[in-house]
Amino acid sequence: MGRILIIEDEEKIARFIELELKYEGYEVEKAFNGRDGLELARTQPFDLILLDIMLPGINGIEVLRRIRQFSDLPVILLTARDAVVDKVTGLDGGADDYITKPFAIEELLARIRVALRKKDTGNKLEKSSELVLEPLHLDPMKREIRVKDNLIHLTKREFDLLHYLLENKDIVLSRETILEEIWGYDFSGGTNAVDVYIRYLRAKIEEPFGLKIIYTVRGVGYVIKDE
């Protein structure tokens, strides 16, 4: 099934999640603070991490930032906070998903399954060949983007979104289709999340270089095509 690390300072919650995951067939390790969780993530193999934001010592956002320096493992944030700014901070920091306490265990299990499926899909994508739309080059193996020989830094979600659009070059993709493919569930921000990340991509790969490759199809969604 997979091996999951729970980083959660509330031991009762961690134990409850652990029992439910083990019942589903997952192997589980727990850490009750950021430092121990980070050390486990760095030294042991896992398929997914459940990470609380409000942790003693090192908070969850900082733990996530450090994890992303050495791993692309799926990370689902667990938190009592439900403010939009916390969601954006977590997702922009490299989290794959975000769930607010209290949550139904069935929803958490569903999101874990989605994240693990996307991880498997990502592993397959990394074996695929480079995608080129001059002067844009996307290398799935290295997870690199270059425009006119300039290396462009994208977050994990921005990269996945651009990869998906390039794979479907000249095909108009609806916001709902993109949301399901890239976010993997009915994100609470709705299809506006797609528009936000399209703006991020345009700001990084179009505007600095005077390009136009991502087109808006009014009332439908987006398409990548030659200028």
Side-chain angles (χ1 to χ4, degrees), residues 88-145:
V88 171
T89 300
L91 294 173
D92 281 352
D96 295 82
D97 200 348
Y98 187 112
I99 189 167
T100 304
K101 302 173 186 175
F103 50 80
I105 192 64
E106 292 81 5
E107 180 181 4
L108 177 60
L109 292 171
R111 295 192 179 198
I112 288 172
R113 289 193 293 269
V114 167
L116 290 175
R117 281 201 304 269
K118 289 182 70 61
K119 174 175 176 282
D120 291 338
T121 300
N123 290 338
K124 294 174 183 176
L125 289 177
E126 287 180 1
K127 298 176 183 177
S128 60
S129 58
E130 183 178 72
L131 298 174
V132 179
L133 182 63
E134 291 293 355
L136 170 66
H137 291 243
L138 182 149
D139 188 329
M141 185 70 74
K142 296 179 180 178
R143 292 189 72 83
E144 284 186 355
I145 305 290

Side-chain angles (χ1 to χ4, degrees), residues 15 52 59 103 112 114 162:
R15 178 60 175 162
D52 187 31
N59 68 41
F103 50 80
I112 288 172
V114 167
L162 181 60

Side-chain angles (χ1 to χ4, degrees), residues 192-207:
N192 286 342
V194 177
D195 299 330
V196 169
Y197 275 81
I198 291 291
R199 287 201 297 272
Y200 291 163
L201 288 180
R202 284 173 169 161
K204 290 182 177 182
I205 66 175
E206 288 190 339
E207 294 167 11

Side-chain angles (χ1 to χ4, degrees), residues 167-220:
E167 274 197 316
N168 293 276
K169 178 175 170 287
D170 297 324
I171 299 174
V172 177
L173 300 169
S174 70
R175 290 174 175 83
E176 291 77 13
T177 297
I178 294 171
L179 193 70
E180 177 63 27
E181 179 66 25
I182 303 304
W183 277 259
Y185 65 97
D186 188 14
F187 177 57
S188 59
T191 56
N192 286 342
V194 177
D195 299 330
V196 169
Y197 275 81
I198 291 291
R199 287 201 297 272
Y200 291 163
L201 288 180
R202 284 173 169 161
K204 290 182 177 182
I205 66 175
E206 288 190 339
E207 294 167 11
F209 304 100
L211 300 178
K212 180 63 177 176
I213 60 172
I214 304 174
Y215 291 83
T216 302
V217 180
R218 191 176 301 277
V220 182

